[in-house]
Amino acid sequence: MKRAFSHLYVQVLLAIVAGVLLGHFNPGLGAALKPLGDAFIKLIKMLIGPIIFTTVVSGIGGMGNLRQVGRVGLKALIYFEVVTTLALGIGLVVANVFAPGAGVHATAASLNASEVAQYTKAAAQLGFVDTVLHIIPATFMGAFVDGDILQVLLVALLFGSALAHLGEKGRAIHGLLHEGANIFFLMVNIVSRAAPVAAFGAMAFTVGKYGLGSLKSLAGLMGCVYLTCGLFIAVVLGLIARFSGFSLWKILKFIRDEILIVIGTSSSETALPGLMTKMERAGCRESVVGIVVPAGYSFNLDGTCIYLTMAALFIAQATDTPLDLGHQLALLGVLLLTSKGAAGVTGSGFITLAATLAATGTVPVAGMALILGVDRFMSEARAVTNFIGNTVATLVIAKWDGSYDESGPEAFQVRRS
């Protein structure tokens, strides 16, 4: 028994249960524990930029083959687009079949548009040009100051390419950055020891602030989102993994610590450093991990895509807004663009939803107020699906590229027997 409690995933799981119970029976105290989760998330985010930079630069600089970098990036973008489009389509189908918003009959007078004003204002800035310009930091260090994953990735790719061109002259810098990456990963290991405390505080806040009772009125939507995310992981990601020679069950067992941290904090970013470490341990080349994982956190958000289509149709059904096949296909087309447009933006799920509804002009944007109360409870499903989706993507792309070492020290844990 004592040995079981020494595992991080057991500690986090117990902390999640304790947080839910505290938030339910003492909501005031639970809501006051929000800083515990926020502090942990800030500590992890503080390290993400340096980790991405040192990992990507070290990987590219050591590889010396820039064509392979471009090849990996192209394969990753194609994979991301195909899988996220599939996720959007599945969410659309499930929302039509189960119609979770039917019978709500919300009217314009009952909707408080001011509650979603901050999201509609941010959504107005999600144009294509603005999105592209957002990827370019104002200064070299600005990418690290803002903590924007795409900006750090861009700087790292440029720096790594320049270092690769230097050849032998850049070996000293390459070695320094490689050791720097090891130091940052060690810092993550130290911070991760506080994960149970963070999970306890975050769950206590969520339940204490919003209450389990708020789930009753929107139980249909909640159930559909969780069911769809679960089926997507088991069926779609499971088949993708199997066709590539991996076992999904072994993958999930391999990353169970990170999955529970994601659940406890409702943020997949808290497990990004851990995912990069484990993908390298599993046999994926450092350069592939450095490119695919950060890019996937911006462009391969399977759970968010499922949520977006289901939330949009829920609002349409709840407000008695008729949507024929043409309207739904138009919605899907807009989501193919907007679901990639909020990468790196805080609250991107809700902002993207606001941008999509505003662009289609069919479903009332004010209807987003209907799901504000339970959005926090659905964030766990989105975050876990996003995280597992990026895990599978990294393994699969590494295998396709010939950058997966089956004899790696941890490879047996994710290979199909």
Side-chain angles (χ1 to χ4, degrees):
M1 181 64 70
K2 184 177 180 180
R3 184 178 179 182
F5 282 112
S6 66
H7 293 293
L8 180 63
Y9 72 91
V10 175
Q11 297 171 9
V12 174
L13 182 60
L14 292 175
I16 290 173
V17 174
V20 171
L21 292 174
L22 176 64
H24 178 64
F25 291 107
N26 194 335
L29 178 59
L33 295 179
K34 185 176 184 290
L36 295 179
D38 290 346
F40 179 77
I41 293 174
K42 290 184 69 175
L43 282 170
I44 294 294
K45 285 187 174 181
M46 173 187 71
L47 298 171
I48 287 177
I51 284 175
I52 291 176
F53 180 78
T54 52
T55 301
V56 173
V57 172
S58 178
I60 296 176
M63 183 168 46
N65 185 353
L66 298 182
R67 288 185 178 181
Q68 184 180 7
V69 176
R71 186 173 69 245
V72 170
L74 180 60
K75 288 179 179 178
L77 290 177
I78 293 174
Y79 176 94
F80 295 162
E81 189 61 42
V82 171
V83 177
T84 53
T85 300
L86 189 57
L88 288 169
I90 290 174
L92 203 65
V93 170
V94 173
N96 275 289
V97 172
F98 290 96
V104 176
H105 304 302
T107 62
S110 64
L111 300 175
N112 187 356
S114 63
E115 293 182 347
V116 297
Q118 59 176 317
Y119 301 104
T120 55
K121 182 179 180 180
Q125 303 174 359
L126 284 183
F128 176 76
V129 175
D130 293 326
T131 301
V132 173
L133 291 178
H134 178 75
I135 298 175
I136 305 173
T139 64
F140 183 92
M141 297 305 298
F144 300 93
V145 173
D146 296 334
D148 189 292
I149 292 177
L150 282 181
Q151 291 183 357
V152 174
L153 181 59
L154 175 63
V155 170
L157 288 172
L158 291 173
F159 194 101
S161 300
L163 186 61
H165 278 298
L166 285 177
E168 289 299 322
K169 295 180 180 179
R171 288 300 171 190
I173 297 177
H174 174 263
L176 180 64
L177 289 172
H178 182 75
E179 292 304 319
N182 293 333
I183 293 174
F184 284 118
F185 278 121
L186 181 58
M187 291 173 67
V188 170
N189 290 336
I190 295 172
V191 173
S192 294
R193 295 175 184 175
V197 177
F200 171 73
M203 293 304 296
F205 162 74
T206 299
V207 177
K209 175 72 173 179
Y210 301 102
L212 295 176
S214 65
L215 305 181
K216 296 179 181 178
S217 59
L218 297 175
L221 176 62
M222 285 274 298
C224 282
V225 170
Y226 272 82
L227 175 63
T228 308
C229 286
L231 289 175
F232 183 86
I233 293 170
V235 179
V236 177
L237 296 181
L239 288 174
I240 292 174
R242 179 173 291 275
F243 286 143
S244 300
F246 297 102
S247 165
L248 180 64
W249 173 249
K250 290 183 178 180
I251 293 173
L252 297 180
K253 185 178 179 181
F254 186 58
I255 58 172
R256 59 192 176 190
D257 288 355
E258 288 73 23
I259 290 176
L260 285 173
I261 291 175
V262 170
I263 293 174
T265 59
S266 298
S267 172
S268 58
E269 285 192 351
T270 54
L272 187 152
L275 176 60
M276 296 180 74
T277 301
K278 286 197 170 179
M279 289 300 94
E280 290 184 32
R281 281 173 50 194
C284 298
R285 187 173 296 168
E286 182 183 28
S287 57
V288 174
V289 173
I291 294 171
V292 177
V293 173
Y297 264 68
S298 296
F299 298 112
N300 188 40
L301 306 177
D302 302 328
T304 301
C305 288
I306 290 172
Y307 163 80
L308 288 172
T309 46
M310 298 192 73
L313 260 66
F314 172 86
I315 294 171
Q317 294 161 1
T319 56
D320 296 319
T321 303
L323 291 181
D324 57 25
L325 181 60
H327 287 131
Q328 293 194 32
L329 290 178
L331 176 68
L332 184 62
V334 173
L335 279 169
L336 287 174
L337 299 175
T338 55
S339 61
K340 310 299 186 298
V345 180
T346 303
S348 60
F350 239 56
I351 294 172
T352 303
L353 181 59
T356 304
L357 298 184
T360 57
T362 307
V363 182
V365 180
M368 292 172 54
L370 293 170
I371 60 176
L372 269 175
V374 296
D375 181 71
R376 175 82 183 191
F377 290 99
M378 289 186 286
S379 63
E380 284 87 356
R382 296 197 302 264
V384 169
T385 307
N386 292 339
F387 179 75
I388 296 175
N390 283 313
T391 303
V392 173
T394 306
L395 289 167
V396 170
I397 293 169
K399 182 76 177 292
W400 289 352
D401 190 63
S403 302
Y404 178 74
D405 182 9
E406 299 183 16
S407 62
E410 300 287 350
F412 67 92
Q413 295 195 39
V414 293
R415 284 288 300 173
R416 184 176 58 189
S417 57

